[in-house]
């Protein structure tokens, strides 16, 4: 999917998938900028590349900090805030879903925190990953994603690996 420039010019968004009740995208943030407001949605975010991002609510509420691969933050889509990249551009993974429903969540997968159950989406952050979807085997490297209608499983976990998944 192509990158779509933000209206304010401070970043881009690449849609990975849009389902009936949720959407998953990658945002590239080049400089400080206000985030779009999405009333009625929950946003979950994970760091893919870069040193991190600090989210500053305009309400004066405490900032949210995402500064480690594998880290996750969650916030209401109706919260007006400004994203401040730390020490250069960043890429973040965004999952958005209605806030009044149970639905998929972003989870972090490491050898110390393996997934329990089938996954709907997978994004490699660090290390090489072996993933089985049905009878098909995939080897994924950082930045690769696997999304599909058929749930899949991780077959091998190795030291140092980090990934995000939709569970």
């Amino acid at each position: 999917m192509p990158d779509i420039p933000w209206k304010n010019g401070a970043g881009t968004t690449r849609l990975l998938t849009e389902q009936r009740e949720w959407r998953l995208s990658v945002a590239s943030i080049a400089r400080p900028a206000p985030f779009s407001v999405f009333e009625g949605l929950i946003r979950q975010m994970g760091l893919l590349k870069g040193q991190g991002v600090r989210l500053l609510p305009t309400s004066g509420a405490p900032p949210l900090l995402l500064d480690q691969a594998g880290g996750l933050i969650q916030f209401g889509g109706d919260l007006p805030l400004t994203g401040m990249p730390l020490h250069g551009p960043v890429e973040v993974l965004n999952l958005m879903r209605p806030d009044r429903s149970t639905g998929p969540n972003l989870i972090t997968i490491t050898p110390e925190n393996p997934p329990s159950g089938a996954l709907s989406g997978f994004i490699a952050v660090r290390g090489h990953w072996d993933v089985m979807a049905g009878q098909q085997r995939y080897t994924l490297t950082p930045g690769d994603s696997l999304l599909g209608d058929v749930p899949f499983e991780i077959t091998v976990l190795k030291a140092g690996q980090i990934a995000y998944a939709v569970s």
Side-chain angles (χ1 to χ4, degrees), residues 19 36 43 62 79 91 110 112 120 126 134 143 152 154 158 163:
Q19 305 296 320
S36 296
R43 296 178 71 166
L79 180 65
E91 277 191 7
T110 65
E112 299 79 25
S120 301
R126 188 177 296 150
F152 50 88
I154 306 303
K158 301 171 193 154

Side-chain angles (χ1 to χ4, degrees), residues 12-13 16 30 48 65 102 109-110 121 137 141 144 148 153 162 166:
T12 61
T13 297
L16 297 179
L48 295 173
L65 180 63
T102 59
I109 300 174
T110 65
R137 179 186 169 134
T141 60
D144 289 343
E153 297 180 1
I162 299 174
V166 178

Side-chain angles (χ1 to χ4, degrees), residues 18 21 25 32 35 58 93 95 100 108 119 137 139 145 150 153-154 156:
E18 190 158 20
E21 288 290 319
S25 63
F35 274 36
T58 59
L93 184 65
L95 178 100
R100 288 191 170 82
T108 300
L119 306 172
R137 179 186 169 134
T139 298
S145 61
V150 177
E153 297 180 1
I154 306 303
V156 178

Side-chain angles (χ1 to χ4, degrees), residues 16-101:
L16 297 179
T17 187
E18 190 158 20
Q19 305 296 320
R20 191 172 70 81
E21 288 290 319
W22 58 280
R23 88 179 243 188
L24 188 66
S25 63
V26 173
S28 297
I29 308 168
R31 59 183 168 79
F35 274 36
S36 296
V37 171
F38 293 98
E39 294 285 338
L41 296 180
I42 290 289
R43 296 178 71 166
Q44 298 173 344
M45 184 181 290
L47 181 63
L48 295 173
K49 291 182 184 175
Q51 299 299 308
V53 62
R54 179 174 283 113
L55 304 180
L56 304 170
T58 59
S59 66
L64 301 170
L65 180 63
L66 181 62
D67 64 351
Q68 294 181 36
L72 288 169
I73 57 175
Q74 178 173 301
F75 54 97
D78 58 349
L79 180 65
L81 48 80
T82 297
M84 307 276 298
L86 305 175
H87 313 293
V90 296
E91 277 191 7
V92 294
L93 184 65
N94 277 301
L95 178 100
M96 292 192 283
R97 65 172 174 80
D99 67 358
R100 288 191 170 82
S101 68

Side-chain angles (χ1 to χ4, degrees), residues 96-140:
M96 292 192 283
R97 65 172 174 80
D99 67 358
R100 288 191 170 82
S101 68
T102 59
N105 287 299
L106 274 185
I107 62 170
T108 300
I109 300 174
T110 65
E112 299 79 25
N113 186 38
S116 58
L119 306 172
S120 301
F122 182 89
I123 300 86
V125 178
R126 188 177 296 150
H128 289 71
W129 292 82
D130 295 320
V131 180
M132 291 294 294
Q135 298 301 312
Q136 184 68 42
R137 179 186 169 134
Y138 300 92
T139 298
L140 304 178

